Amino acid sequence: MASVMKMGRGVRRRLKRIVHKSRDKDHVRRALALLGLHANGNCIAQAARQVCAARSSVQRWRALYEEYGEGGLKPLARGRSQWKGDAG
């Protein structure tokens, strides 16, 4: 289980790299929110203001990070999922 307050230097560097290199704005906002939580002492309201997101979104992103690590911040595929009906 990963904690935002115990985020290591390597994780912070990878999140900063996502901010600078990623083309997906949602992924960037999630990374910025977690970096803001770490820098501001886990203040959700302040991190939410920095990334122009709702506090509930920042809380959800923190929970995803704490449960799944950095992989929890990756965005899901956009659009409708592939659906195939019965052939018969």
Side-chain angles (χ1 to χ4, degrees):
M1 184 182 258
S3 172
V4 173
M5 294 309 297
K6 296 179 182 178
M7 190 184 302
R9 182 175 180 213
V11 174
R12 289 193 309 271
R13 291 180 85 186
R14 285 190 295 275
L15 289 177
K16 287 178 184 177
R17 188 172 296 131
I18 289 169
V19 170
H20 292 292
K21 303 265 182 188
S22 179
R23 293 178 183 244
D24 186 353
K25 66 177 182 158
D26 294 331
H27 198 193
V28 170
R29 285 179 77 199
R30 291 179 186 125
L32 277 174
L34 285 181
L35 288 170
L37 281 173
H38 178 76
N40 298 326
N42 213 13
C43 180
I44 291 175
Q46 193 169 3
R49 276 192 300 271
Q50 287 176 344
V51 296
C52 297
R55 291 182 314 235
S56 60
S57 295
V58 175
Q59 288 174 339
R60 186 175 64 246
W61 299 337
R62 183 184 65 183
L64 285 170
Y65 173 76
E66 289 178 350
E67 186 171 345
Y68 300 109
E70 294 172 62
L73 299 177
K74 290 183 182 176
L76 300 175
R78 294 194 182 260
R80 294 176 63 178
S81 61
Q82 293 294 325
W83 183 81
K84 293 183 181 181
D86 291 337

